[in-house]
Amino acid sequence: MSKPILISGIQPTGRLHIGNYLGALKNFVELQNSGKYKCYFFIADLHSLTESFSPAEKHKQILELAADYIAAGLNPKKSTIFLQSQVSAHAELAWIFETLTSLGELKRMTQFKEKSEKEKERVNAGLLTYPALMASDILLYDAAFVPVGEDQLQHLELARTLARKFNKRFGKTFVEPKPILTESPRVMSITHPKKKMAKSEPSGCLFLDDSPQEIKAKISRAVTDSGSEIKLDPAKKAGISNLLRIYSSLSGERIPMLEKKYTGKNYSEFKRDLAELVADYFSVFRKKKKQLQTTHYQLQTILKSGSAKASQIAEKKTHEVKKKIGIEI
Ligand code: AMP
Ligand code: TRP
């Protein structure tokens, strides 16, 4: 029996934060190392063009994300690691999916509503059709599993709908993918703990390559709640609950154990320990990332060879699709 296929991607839009890590990247590495899946991980550069950018900056962000992937533990010997735009089948199949998707389905997407609200003057059509491209990314490879954070579930649901719709109309072609969530599928901002941690609000993010000093300063400033108890209570104690979850996900200690450990201790002791934990946890990552970024050659080679491999699979699928819908001569 061949292994089930698993795919996921991240947009190259700047430094990764601990939400990206605990919701997605940490799990990518664990799933890869479990040996249970045939894994594809890509850099979603086409998706990232929906937000403002400069060409020089984009180029840097792509290589930075490649360094993040490798420094965190993704391994080109175990997974196919590639750049989305190098595999032209993604954009091609996305177009076909757009013609099968209703405007209403796209306009209902939370991410579209939030982003178009923020960028009122410059709402580009790509922001709207984004989920059709994401469906293409997934369905091209017959992926059965997609590890993502909670904010991507709605998009994944559209991919499932499109797979069903296409199969029903044109015959069995696509696999319906299922999400894989982590125990921290929605890490909250450390300054606004009722909002999710997001790159658009950098002050609320802990970045993976923040220095120990930055981590310490940010965590000591993190918003906590009135009272002094270190206890999980997301409704009443959103700030401390978020920090507890981060602590638990990185240390592997269950939350009840942590609550016990910190009984009678105050917020500042807890925060000091958490800052130390975060700084230590990412120390190897920081070193590896720096080293990988000294030369771009290695990262470029990984992306080129991964993209060539992915193209073979994706092109085969687009041929099949064209045949099924009657546009092949
Ligand atoms: P993006 O940077 O939007 O491409 O997101 C990359 C991955 O990180 C996706 O799987 C997201 O669902 C996940 N992610 C982003 N923000 C968070 C967060 N605050 N908590 C958990 N997962 C997140
Ligand atoms: N939309 C995802 C995000 O913003 C990134 C992404 C693009 C993705 N294509 C994908 C994730 C396919 C999983 C599978 O986080």
Side-chain angles (χ1 to χ4, degrees):
M1 261 282 281
S2 56
K3 293 177 184 176
I5 294 161
L6 178 151
I7 193 162
S8 197
I10 297 180
Q11 299 185 69
T13 43
R15 302 155 74 202
L16 294 184
H17 53 66
I18 208 164
N20 298 129
Y21 186 72
L22 296 177
L25 185 55
K26 179 170 183 273
N27 209 20
F28 295 180
V29 176
E30 286 165 7
L31 291 161
Q32 164 196 270
N33 292 342
S34 76
K36 289 191 198 148
Y37 307 92
K38 183 168 166 47
C39 295
Y40 292 86
F41 297 109
F42 66 97
I43 294 178
D45 59 336
L46 294 176
H47 279 95
S48 75
L49 303 184
T50 56
E51 288 178 31
S52 55
F53 69 96
S54 78
E57 186 189 47
K58 187 54 65 194
H59 187 251
K60 242 181 79 194
Q61 288 171 334
I62 289 171
L63 291 170
E64 175 164 11
L65 184 55
D68 285 324
Y69 276 3
I70 307 299
L74 290 186
N75 180 344
K77 293 202 180 98
K78 297 182 182 169
S79 301
T80 305
I81 299 169
F82 69 98
L83 182 60
Q84 183 188 30
S85 61
Q86 292 290 301
V87 185
S88 50
H90 287 244
E92 213 178 341
L93 182 61
W95 173 258
I96 295 172
F97 282 161
E98 282 170 40
T99 68
L100 294 171
T101 312
S102 73
L103 200 51
E105 277 172 304
L106 294 173
K107 281 187 173 164
R108 268 201 301 278
M109 294 287 169
T110 308
Q111 182 174 299
F112 171 70
K113 285 197 276 191
E114 282 175 3
K115 289 198 177 170
S116 54
E117 189 61 34
K118 245 188 238 155
E119 309 210 13
K120 274 201 175 85
E121 308 89 56
R122 294 180 298 106
V123 182
N124 63 76
L127 271 181
L128 181 72
T129 58
Y130 184 111
L133 177 58
M134 183 161 157
S136 159
D137 300 336
I138 299 166
L139 301 186
L140 271 174
Y141 299 91
D142 289 334
F145 298 103
V146 185
V148 278
E150 195 179 71
D151 60 352
Q152 297 302 313
L153 289 181
Q154 207 182 14
H155 295 159
L156 198 62
E157 203 47 51
L158 181 76
R160 293 169 57 82
T161 307
L162 277 167
R164 271 198 303 275
K165 209 184 220 177
F166 191 101
N167 290 347
K168 195 162 166 223
R169 181 155 164 211
F170 302 107
K172 175 93 182 105
T173 311
F174 294 118
V175 172
E176 258 186 71
K178 288 193 187 70
I180 301 183
L181 292 179
T182 66
E183 283 184 9
S184 335
R186 190 175 171 83
V187 176
M188 309 310 271
S189 157
I190 58 169
T191 47
H192 297 87
K194 300 249 169 192
K195 286 204 240 161
K196 84 170 179 196
M197 187 179 284
K199 290 171 200 165
S200 53
E201 196 232 326
S203 61
C205 295
L206 291 171
F207 293 104
L208 305 195
D209 56 3
D210 273 343
S211 68
Q213 293 78 356
E214 283 168 314
I215 294 167
K216 204 168 161 203
K218 281 187 186 172
I219 293 183
S220 74
R221 271 188 273 113
V223 168
T224 40
D225 325 272
S226 56
S228 60
E229 239 187 319
I230 294 157
K231 200 167 146 269
L232 189 78
D233 184 350
K236 291 201 199 108
K237 294 167 86 74
I240 215 70
S241 299
N242 188 41
L243 298 181
L244 262 173
R245 286 197 173 120
I246 294 175
Y247 195 132
S248 167
S249 303
L250 291 180
S251 72
E253 289 164 274
R254 317 295 298 168
I255 289 185
M257 297 290 292
L258 291 175
E259 288 172 340
K260 219 187 226 166
K261 183 163 152 188
Y262 285 98
T263 308
K265 301 209 170 139
N266 57 30
Y267 285 169
S268 64
E269 286 170 282
F270 172 70
K271 282 180 163 185
R272 201 189 47 222
D273 289 355
L274 176 61
E276 207 170 287
L277 170 68
V278 175
D280 283 355
Y281 186 96
F282 290 107
S283 79
V284 175
F285 171 88
R286 286 193 298 272
K287 262 189 231 131
K288 274 199 193 152
K289 179 170 176 182
K290 219 182 212 166
Q291 191 214 336
L292 283 159
Q293 285 180 304
T294 54
T295 155
H296 288 158
Y297 178 73
Q298 190 189 352
L299 298 171
Q300 282 165 328
T301 307
I302 291 172
L303 291 181
K304 276 190 191 149
S305 100
S307 300
K309 265 198 238 160
S311 288
Q312 284 186 356
I313 313 278
E315 270 165 32
K316 225 167 126 195
K317 199 72 178 179
T318 35
H319 265 116
E320 185 189 345
V321 168
K322 286 180 181 171
K323 218 168 162 178
K324 289 247 168 80
I325 63 178
I327 60 170
E328 219 198 33
I329 38 170

